[in-house]
Amino acid sequence: MTEKLSIGIDCGCTNIKGGIVDRDGRVIARSSLEIAGATEALDVVTLVARLMRELAGSRPLADFSIGCGFPGIVDHERGRVLSSPNFPKWRDVPIRDLLAEIIQLSPAIDNDANLHAIGEQRFGAGQGRKNLVFLTLGTGIGGGIIIDGELFRGDSGFAGEIGHMIIEEGGELCGCGRRGCFERYGASHAFELFIRRMDLKERTAYLAKAGSSIEGVTPAIVARLADSGCEQSLKMWKEFGRNLGRGIAMVMNVLGIESFVIGGGIARSFDLFAPAVRIEIQNGTYKENAERIQFLPAVLGEDAGIIGAAVIGHK
Amino acid sequence: MTEKLSIGIDCGCTNIKGGIVDRDGRVIARSSLEIAGATEALDVVTLVARLMRELAGSRPLADFSIGCGFPGIVDHERGRVLSSPNFPKWRDVPIRDLLAEIIQLSPAIDNDANLHAIGEQRFGAGQGRKNLVFLTLGTGIGGGIIIDGELFRGDSGFAGEIGHMIIEEGGELCGCGRRGCFERYGASHAFELFIRRMDLKERTAYLAKAGSSIEGVTPAIVARLADSGCEQSLKMWKEFGRNLGRGIAMVMNVLGIESFVIGGGIARSFDLFAPAVRIEIQNGTYKENAERIQFLPAVLGEDAGIIGAAVIGHK
């Protein structure tokens, strides 16, 4: 049997990343394209196909197995994107068929967080663990659940919507239209919330230090200030970790899965929030459980999406 | 191949129920024994073995496949009960080996809520559904998760501890020692909480109507009063349903499983709380999800534990 190479594509909201990946999860070639304002599914899919051809070079695409990740709620079985926060016009779009018309091949598609999860489980922080929960922390919280080495998608592809567990009734308004969702407290918007809760004097001083408006304070800014010893910033990361830990403990109680891998931009500050997460896991689960939980940072970075896409392509 | 019959045992805190179950999930003989104060594992196991022999009658036990359910945290793989709220002395007890010494056979063992789940999924309310969450509502909330037709036990047998998700930080004290666990709001203790929250006048009038102290007000009493049109009781069931629905929506967001089956004593009042649960599921999950959720009462009643035990025995 020849070791067929795979092309993995990770379609985000501003750009499309792709790579050629071997059976050992190594990315042996990379490329990317800017989406540059395209919003129609056909336009985005055309860009995806262009990137695939660029990666394949002089070889025909049929020489590769191909997988693609898209943001949003993806029906893996039917190859459709049901909805996508990044592409609001997309409603039950037959992405796989659109792609197949252009490239004459039918790639596997899935949700991007799911692909990060499978990438990290096979070749990253979760190697060797058969069950794993992956959380990607950015403007929201994406989730991917691996059971027995395979992605668990639930009955209709909705598994892993962990960011939309309501953890505070009547709490902060979420992009999904509901209030109190986990991702308002354990992703980037949490910092805006923490700053709004400061008293006026404290807030003014903090924003001066950050050199930003409330809305402009990114986790990266809070991390930079924390690294330079800013007490308020350290406190915010602790609060962030507590919130994240509460949600993780809930998921642990439901699933009894002991490996949690954290990816996404905010994972770069893992050491700033991990201690508080671990304490909250202790508080929120049985002692026997808490002792076994592995709470780990992702290790593949942005490659996880490409590698995960390659893995589902291989099938 | 002969259709081997199975003996299923459901060991509770006050009595042990058993039955002979055929391959179609029919209980063709039944018996039970009172535990009558036995607390040592060896004494309970001896009673379990006696019930098995009684069920087998003149046939040798080896003619049957055998499964047993025990309350508490059970390590199915190793055949041990790690801890049990009903038998506080039990700490990592090798139940399967103790049984094997008496009956010279090694039965399958599992947690009782898991066995109710598998019973209902194979032969009850969940027939034909490959994924299912079963919740048993009594003094606590037990949970069993079925994925792809099999019990999902998590990494160490702790999956389904849904009753101990903390849904209200700093909330009601739970038997597990933590505060705000789901089972304080969505199982029998919830009614005590609702009554304590009434103002003194309202509470006094209610307890007079119930003919009971606060601690003595059971879900059955509240159901009887609700059925006779008592506004306060109807309101309590609605509040109960809201709490239950919040927790179910959380689990739905994590797992994307669309079938929820409710068993346990409180399920007898299903019609009193189900409407509020359904509204809360709508509020707490994506619209696309909420439309698909099947929220159903268990149909096997107390037999579910025996039938589920028989199913794991068959393996």
Side-chain angles (χ1 to χ4, degrees):
Chain A
M1 198 185 95
T2 57
E3 295 273 304
K4 202 172 184 181
L5 290 170
S6 189
I7 289 176
I9 302 286
D10 185 7
C11 178
C13 46
T14 55
N15 57 32
I16 306 166
K17 293 187 290 266
I20 297 180
V21 182
D22 72 13
R23 284 274 177 179
D24 298 320
R26 280 183 299 248
V27 182
I28 55 181
R30 264 188 196 78
S31 190
S32 68
L33 275 177
E34 293 210 1
I35 291 181
T39 57
E40 299 292 339
L42 191 59
D43 296 335
V44 173
V45 159
T46 303
L47 289 172
V48 166
R50 189 193 300 167
L51 184 61
M52 288 175 183
R53 289 215 174 95
E54 188 191 316
L55 285 161
S58 59
R59 297 172 59 178
L61 276 177
D63 279 9
F64 300 87
S65 47
I66 304 178
C68 300
F70 291 92
I73 295 180
V74 178
D75 184 331
H76 165 79
E77 295 290 328
R78 297 190 305 133
R80 302 171 84 98
V81 176
L82 303 184
S83 66
S84 178
N86 301 115
F87 300 108
K89 287 186 188 171
W90 297 16
R91 289 279 148 202
D92 199 11
V93 177
I95 288 285
R96 188 173 58 202
D97 292 347
L98 291 177
L99 263 170
E101 276 199 29
I102 305 175
I103 63 172
Q104 309 300 318
L105 294 165
S106 188
I109 77 162
D110 209 329
N111 162 273
D112 51 357
N114 274 352
L115 297 185
H116 277 254
I118 200 84
E120 289 288 344
Q121 188 261 344
R122 290 288 168 86
F123 301 110
Q127 233 174 331
R129 299 171 205 274
K130 61 179 191 161
N131 302 318
L132 178 148
V133 176
F134 175 82
L135 298 178
T136 172
L137 310 182
T139 52
I141 298 180
I145 298 171
I146 310 279
I147 287 180
D148 250 338
E150 302 289 335
L151 270 166
F152 179 66
R153 298 183 173 87
D155 284 317
S156 310
F158 289 89
E161 291 293 329
I162 295 168
H164 295 286
M165 293 193 301
I166 294 176
I167 65 165
E168 194 162 313
E169 243 196 320
E172 297 293 306
L173 187 64
C174 180
C176 74
R178 283 173 281 134
R179 286 188 174 276
C181 289
F182 181 32
E183 69 177 39
R184 300 312 284 190
Y185 304 89
S188 69
H189 287 290
F191 295 95
E192 194 183 317
L193 174 66
F194 301 152
I195 296 171
R196 274 197 279 117
R197 282 180 181 166
M198 292 175 183
D199 65 35
L200 184 61
K201 203 178 143 195
E202 199 187 0
R203 185 163 65 225
T204 310
Y206 189 79
L207 292 175
K209 219 187 304 186
S212 168
S213 66
I214 289 190
E215 296 76 17
V217 178
T218 60
I221 292 175
V222 183
R224 184 170 47 73
L225 289 172
D227 286 336
S228 69
C230 164
E231 284 294 334
Q232 285 163 305
S233 299
L234 288 165
K235 217 177 111 195
M236 279 195 256
W237 279 111
K238 195 170 165 184
E239 182 66 20
F240 180 85
R242 287 197 61 223
N243 293 347
L244 187 59
R246 275 177 64 198
I248 287 176
M250 281 185 188
V251 175
M252 169 68 202
N253 282 325
V254 174
L255 280 173
I257 289 180
E258 294 163 3
S259 302
F260 288 82
V261 175
I262 307 296
I266 299 179
R268 284 185 212 115
S269 304
F270 189 81
D271 293 341
L272 287 168
F273 61 78
V277 171
R278 294 203 171 98
I279 291 169
E280 210 54 35
I281 289 172
Q282 299 273 353
N283 291 340
T285 62
Y286 280 111
K287 196 172 140 284
E288 296 90 333
N289 280 346
E291 285 165 358
R292 291 200 190 89
I293 291 182
Q294 300 281 321
F295 178 70
L296 306 164
V299 298
L300 300 177
E302 301 208 330
D303 278 352
I306 295 171
I307 295 170
V311 169
I312 66 161
H314 275 313
K315 299 223 161 144
Chain B
M1 198 185 95
T2 58
E3 296 272 305
K4 202 172 183 178
L5 289 171
S6 189
I7 290 177
I9 302 285
D10 184 8
C11 179
C13 47
T14 56
N15 57 31
I16 306 167
K17 295 186 290 261
I20 297 180
V21 183
D22 71 13
R23 284 275 177 178
D24 298 321
R26 279 183 300 246
V27 182
I28 56 180
R30 262 188 197 79
S31 191
S32 67
L33 276 177
E34 292 210 2
I35 291 181
T39 57
E40 299 292 339
L42 190 60
D43 295 336
V44 174
V45 160
T46 303
L47 290 172
V48 167
R50 187 193 302 167
L51 185 60
M52 287 175 184
R53 290 215 173 95
E54 189 191 316
L55 284 162
S58 58
R59 296 171 61 178
L61 277 178
D63 280 9
F64 300 87
S65 47
I66 304 178
C68 300
F70 290 92
I73 295 181
V74 179
D75 184 330
H76 164 79
E77 295 291 327
R78 298 189 306 134
R80 300 172 86 96
V81 176
L82 303 184
S83 67
S84 178
N86 301 115
F87 300 109
K89 287 186 189 173
W90 297 17
R91 289 279 148 201
D92 199 12
V93 176
I95 289 286
R96 189 173 57 203
D97 291 346
L98 291 177
L99 262 170
E101 276 199 29
I102 305 175
I103 63 171
Q104 310 301 318
L105 293 165
S106 188
I109 77 161
D110 210 327
N111 160 274
D112 51 357
N114 274 352
L115 297 184
H116 277 253
I118 200 85
E120 290 287 345
Q121 187 260 343
R122 290 289 169 85
F123 301 110
Q127 233 174 329
R129 299 170 206 275
K130 61 181 190 158
N131 302 317
L132 177 148
V133 176
F134 175 82
L135 297 178
T136 172
L137 309 182
T139 53
I141 298 180
I145 298 171
I146 310 279
I147 287 180
D148 248 339
E150 302 289 336
L151 270 165
F152 179 67
R153 297 182 174 87
D155 283 317
S156 309
F158 290 90
E161 290 294 328
I162 294 167
H164 295 286
M165 292 193 300
I166 294 176
I167 66 165
E168 193 160 314
E169 243 196 320
E172 298 293 307
L173 187 64
C174 180
C176 74
R178 285 173 280 132
R179 286 188 172 276
C181 289
F182 180 33
E183 69 177 39
R184 300 312 283 190
Y185 304 89
S188 69
H189 287 291
F191 296 95
E192 196 183 317
L193 174 66
F194 301 152
I195 296 170
R196 273 197 280 117
R197 282 181 180 165
M198 291 175 183
D199 65 37
L200 184 62
K201 201 178 144 197
E202 199 187 1
R203 185 163 66 224
T204 310
Y206 189 79
L207 292 175
K209 217 186 304 186
S212 167
S213 66
I214 289 190
E215 296 76 18
V217 177
T218 60
I221 292 176
V222 183
R224 184 170 47 73
L225 289 172
D227 286 337
S228 69
C230 164
E231 285 293 335
Q232 284 162 305
S233 300
L234 288 165
K235 216 176 112 196
M236 279 194 256
W237 279 111
K238 194 170 166 184
E239 182 65 19
F240 180 85
R242 286 197 62 221
N243 293 348
L244 187 59
R246 274 177 65 198
I248 288 175
M250 280 184 188
V251 175
M252 169 69 202
N253 283 325
V254 173
L255 280 173
I257 289 181
E258 295 163 1
S259 301
F260 288 82
V261 175
I262 306 297
I266 300 178
R268 284 184 212 115
S269 304
F270 190 82
D271 293 342
L272 287 168
F273 61 80
V277 171
R278 294 203 172 98
I279 290 168
E280 210 54 34
I281 289 172
Q282 298 274 353
N283 292 340
T285 61
Y286 280 112
K287 196 173 142 280
E288 295 90 333
N289 279 346
E291 286 166 357
R292 292 199 191 90
I293 290 182
Q294 300 282 320
F295 178 70
L296 304 163
V299 299
L300 300 177
E302 300 207 332
D303 278 352
I306 295 171
I307 295 171
V311 169
I312 67 161
H314 276 312
K315 297 221 164 146

